[in-house]
PDB file of all heavy atoms in Angstrom:
ATOM      1  N   LEU Q  54      32.532 -31.778  11.482  1.00 70.00           N
ATOM      2  CA  LEU Q  54      32.460 -30.396  11.888  1.00 70.00           C
ATOM      3  C   LEU Q  54      32.083 -29.460  10.766  1.00 70.00           C
ATOM      4  O   LEU Q  54      31.853 -28.292  11.001  1.00 70.00           O
ATOM      5  CB  LEU Q  54      33.766 -29.973  12.525  1.00 70.00           C
ATOM      6  CG  LEU Q  54      34.196 -30.757  13.756  1.00 70.00           C
ATOM      7  CD1 LEU Q  54      35.544 -30.271  14.266  1.00 70.00           C
ATOM      8  CD2 LEU Q  54      33.150 -30.666  14.864  1.00 70.00           C
ATOM      9  N   GLU Q  55      32.013 -29.950   9.519  1.00 71.00           N
ATOM     10  CA  GLU Q  55      31.693 -29.117   8.365  1.00 71.00           C
ATOM     11  C   GLU Q  55      30.225 -28.653   8.390  1.00 71.00           C
ATOM     12  O   GLU Q  55      29.892 -27.632   7.782  1.00 71.00           O
ATOM     13  CB  GLU Q  55      31.927 -29.902   7.069  1.00 71.00           C
ATOM     14  CG  GLU Q  55      33.401 -30.284   6.862  1.00 71.00           C
ATOM     15  CD  GLU Q  55      34.287 -29.076   6.687  1.00 71.00           C
ATOM     16  OE1 GLU Q  55      33.875 -28.127   5.984  1.00 71.00           O
ATOM     17  OE2 GLU Q  55      35.391 -29.051   7.244  1.00 71.00           O
ATOM     18  N   ASP Q  56      29.322 -29.406   9.026  1.00 71.00           N
ATOM     19  CA  ASP Q  56      27.877 -29.055   8.978  1.00 71.00           C
ATOM     20  C   ASP Q  56      27.422 -28.337  10.234  1.00 71.00           C
ATOM     21  O   ASP Q  56      26.213 -28.250  10.487  1.00 71.00           O
ATOM     22  CB  ASP Q  56      27.044 -30.251   8.692  1.00 71.00           C
ATOM     23  CG  ASP Q  56      27.112 -31.314   9.802  1.00 71.00           C
ATOM     24  OD1 ASP Q  56      27.930 -31.114  10.736  1.00 71.00           O
ATOM     25  OD2 ASP Q  56      26.361 -32.298   9.735  1.00 71.00           O
ATOM     26  N   ASN Q  57      28.326 -27.833  11.003  1.00 71.00           N
ATOM     27  CA  ASN Q  57      27.960 -27.152  12.267  1.00 71.00           C
ATOM     28  C   ASN Q  57      27.846 -25.645  12.040  1.00 71.00           C
ATOM     29  O   ASN Q  57      28.777 -24.892  12.298  1.00 71.00           O
ATOM     30  CB  ASN Q  57      29.051 -27.425  13.334  1.00 71.00           C
ATOM     31  CG  ASN Q  57      29.056 -28.860  13.774  1.00 71.00           C
ATOM     32  OD1 ASN Q  57      28.203 -29.649  13.367  1.00 71.00           O
ATOM     33  ND2 ASN Q  57      30.035 -29.209  14.574  1.00 71.00           N
ATOM     34  N   ARG Q  58      26.705 -25.223  11.595  1.00 73.00           N
ATOM     35  CA  ARG Q  58      26.509 -23.801  11.364  1.00 73.00           C
ATOM     36  C   ARG Q  58      25.045 -23.463  11.689  1.00 73.00           C
ATOM     37  O   ARG Q  58      24.148 -24.294  11.622  1.00 73.00           O
ATOM     38  CB  ARG Q  58      26.860 -23.379   9.958  1.00 73.00           C
ATOM     39  CG  ARG Q  58      25.910 -23.796   8.885  1.00 73.00           C
ATOM     40  CD  ARG Q  58      26.224 -23.003   7.637  1.00 73.00           C
ATOM     41  NE  ARG Q  58      24.992 -22.519   7.077  1.00 73.00           N
ATOM     42  CZ  ARG Q  58      24.573 -22.727   5.846  1.00 73.00           C
ATOM     43  NH1 ARG Q  58      25.315 -23.362   5.008  1.00 73.00           N
ATOM     44  NH2 ARG Q  58      23.441 -22.222   5.443  1.00 73.00           N
ATOM     45  N   GLY Q  59      24.815 -22.241  12.011  1.00 73.00           N
ATOM     46  CA  GLY Q  59      23.484 -21.704  12.259  1.00 73.00           C
ATOM     47  C   GLY Q  59      23.254 -20.463  11.465  1.00 73.00           C
ATOM     48  O   GLY Q  59      24.148 -19.709  11.174  1.00 73.00           O
ATOM     49  N   ASP Q  60      22.013 -20.222  11.091  1.00 75.00           N
ATOM     50  CA  ASP Q  60      21.662 -19.027  10.322  1.00 75.00           C
ATOM     51  C   ASP Q  60      20.650 -18.199  11.115  1.00 75.00           C
ATOM     52  O   ASP Q  60      19.836 -18.748  11.830  1.00 75.00           O
ATOM     53  CB  ASP Q  60      21.037 -19.415   8.989  1.00 75.00           C
ATOM     54  CG  ASP Q  60      21.990 -20.130   8.041  1.00 75.00           C
ATOM     55  OD1 ASP Q  60      23.151 -19.737   8.004  1.00 75.00           O
ATOM     56  OD2 ASP Q  60      21.575 -21.103   7.384  1.00 75.00           O
ATOM     57  N   PHE Q  61      20.750 -16.923  10.952  1.00 71.00           N
ATOM     58  CA  PHE Q  61      19.751 -16.039  11.552  1.00 71.00           C
ATOM     59  C   PHE Q  61      19.697 -14.775  10.701  1.00 71.00           C
ATOM     60  O   PHE Q  61      20.563 -14.512   9.874  1.00 71.00           O
ATOM     61  CB  PHE Q  61      20.087 -15.705  13.007  1.00 71.00           C
ATOM     62  CG  PHE Q  61      21.343 -14.921  13.198  1.00 71.00           C
ATOM     63  CD1 PHE Q  61      21.316 -13.538  13.261  1.00 71.00           C
ATOM     64  CD2 PHE Q  61      22.583 -15.566  13.315  1.00 71.00           C
ATOM     65  CE1 PHE Q  61      22.470 -12.802  13.433  1.00 71.00           C
ATOM     66  CE2 PHE Q  61      23.734 -14.822  13.490  1.00 71.00           C
ATOM     67  CZ  PHE Q  61      23.700 -13.424  13.535  1.00 71.00           C
ATOM     68  N   SER Q  62      18.659 -14.002  10.868  1.00 75.00           N
ATOM     69  CA  SER Q  62      18.544 -12.753  10.141  1.00 75.00           C
ATOM     70  C   SER Q  62      18.281 -11.605  11.136  1.00 75.00           C
ATOM     71  O   SER Q  62      17.755 -11.827  12.228  1.00 75.00           O
ATOM     72  CB  SER Q  62      17.395 -12.811   9.130  1.00 75.00           C
ATOM     73  OG  SER Q  62      16.182 -13.012   9.766  1.00 75.00           O
ATOM     74  N   VAL Q  63      18.680 -10.429  10.733  1.00 70.00           N
ATOM     75  CA  VAL Q  63      18.531  -9.240  11.573  1.00 70.00           C
ATOM     76  C   VAL Q  63      17.823  -8.171  10.708  1.00 70.00           C
ATOM     77  O   VAL Q  63      18.221  -7.926   9.585  1.00 70.00           O
ATOM     78  CB  VAL Q  63      19.901  -8.693  12.019  1.00 70.00           C
ATOM     79  CG1 VAL Q  63      19.730  -7.398  12.774  1.00 70.00           C
ATOM     80  CG2 VAL Q  63      20.654  -9.733  12.831  1.00 70.00           C
ATOM     81  N   ARG Q  64      16.792  -7.598  11.253  1.00 64.00           N
ATOM     82  CA  ARG Q  64      16.071  -6.527  10.580  1.00 64.00           C
ATOM     83  C   ARG Q  64      16.577  -5.218  11.129  1.00 64.00           C
ATOM     84  O   ARG Q  64      16.432  -4.925  12.315  1.00 64.00           O
ATOM     85  CB  ARG Q  64      14.587  -6.667  10.796  1.00 64.00           C
ATOM     86  CG  ARG Q  64      13.782  -5.603  10.098  1.00 64.00           C
ATOM     87  CD  ARG Q  64      12.301  -5.828  10.305  1.00 64.00           C
ATOM     88  NE  ARG Q  64      11.586  -4.746   9.655  1.00 64.00           N
ATOM     89  CZ  ARG Q  64      10.349  -4.390   9.943  1.00 64.00           C
ATOM     90  NH1 ARG Q  64       9.683  -5.062  10.870  1.00 64.00           N
ATOM     91  NH2 ARG Q  64       9.757  -3.392   9.332  1.00 64.00           N
ATOM     92  N   VAL Q  65      17.220  -4.427  10.273  1.00 67.00           N
ATOM     93  CA  VAL Q  65      17.750  -3.135  10.664  1.00 67.00           C
ATOM     94  C   VAL Q  65      16.777  -2.069  10.207  1.00 67.00           C
ATOM     95  O   VAL Q  65      16.404  -2.021   9.053  1.00 67.00           O
ATOM     96  CB  VAL Q  65      19.138  -2.912  10.054  1.00 67.00           C
ATOM     97  CG1 VAL Q  65      19.690  -1.533  10.411  1.00 67.00           C
ATOM     98  CG2 VAL Q  65      20.122  -4.009  10.462  1.00 67.00           C
ATOM     99  N   MET Q  66      16.342  -1.246  11.152  1.00 67.00           N
ATOM    100  CA  MET Q  66      15.357  -0.211  10.827  1.00 67.00           C
ATOM    101  C   MET Q  66      15.960   1.163  11.134  1.00 67.00           C
ATOM    102  O   MET Q  66      16.658   1.334  12.133  1.00 67.00           O
ATOM    103  CB  MET Q  66      14.086  -0.402  11.657  1.00 67.00           C
ATOM    104  CG  MET Q  66      13.372  -1.683  11.351  1.00 67.00           C
ATOM    105  SD  MET Q  66      11.930  -1.946  12.416  1.00 67.00           S
ATOM    106  CE  MET Q  66      10.934  -0.543  11.992  1.00 67.00           C
ATOM    107  N   ARG Q  67      15.687   2.100  10.246  1.00 75.00           N
ATOM    108  CA  ARG Q  67      16.072   3.480  10.478  1.00 75.00           C
ATOM    109  C   ARG Q  67      15.044   4.156  11.356  1.00 75.00           C
ATOM    110  O   ARG Q  67      13.885   3.791  11.365  1.00 75.00           O
ATOM    111  CB  ARG Q  67      16.205   4.225   9.149  1.00 75.00           C
ATOM    112  CG  ARG Q  67      17.337   3.724   8.334  1.00 75.00           C
ATOM    113  CD  ARG Q  67      17.519   4.392   6.981  1.00 75.00           C
ATOM    114  NE  ARG Q  67      16.889   5.682   6.812  1.00 75.00           N
ATOM    115  CZ  ARG Q  67      16.546   6.139   5.616  1.00 75.00           C
ATOM    116  NH1 ARG Q  67      16.761   5.442   4.534  1.00 75.00           N
ATOM    117  NH2 ARG Q  67      15.949   7.322   5.516  1.00 75.00           N
ATOM    118  N   ARG Q  68      15.461   5.162  12.110  1.00 84.00           N
ATOM    119  CA  ARG Q  68      14.509   5.885  12.946  1.00 84.00           C
ATOM    120  C   ARG Q  68      13.593   6.702  12.054  1.00 84.00           C
ATOM    121  O   ARG Q  68      14.007   7.291  11.086  1.00 84.00           O
ATOM    122  CB  ARG Q  68      15.278   6.791  13.890  1.00 84.00           C
ATOM    123  CG  ARG Q  68      16.080   5.971  14.890  1.00 84.00           C
ATOM    124  CD  ARG Q  68      16.400   6.630  16.199  1.00 84.00           C
ATOM    125  NE  ARG Q  68      15.415   6.839  17.202  1.00 84.00           N
ATOM    126  CZ  ARG Q  68      14.667   5.941  17.830  1.00 84.00           C
ATOM    127  NH1 ARG Q  68      14.676   4.707  17.445  1.00 84.00           N
ATOM    128  NH2 ARG Q  68      13.873   6.268  18.831  1.00 84.00           N
TER     129      ARG Q  68
END
Side-chain angles (χ1 to χ4, degrees):
L54 299 178
E55 297 294 319
D56 65 353
N57 292 354
R58 73 167 227 233
D60 295 319
F61 66 93
S62 62
V63 176
R64 182 177 177 201
V65 178
M66 296 177 61
R67 292 180 18 205
R68 294 204 74 58

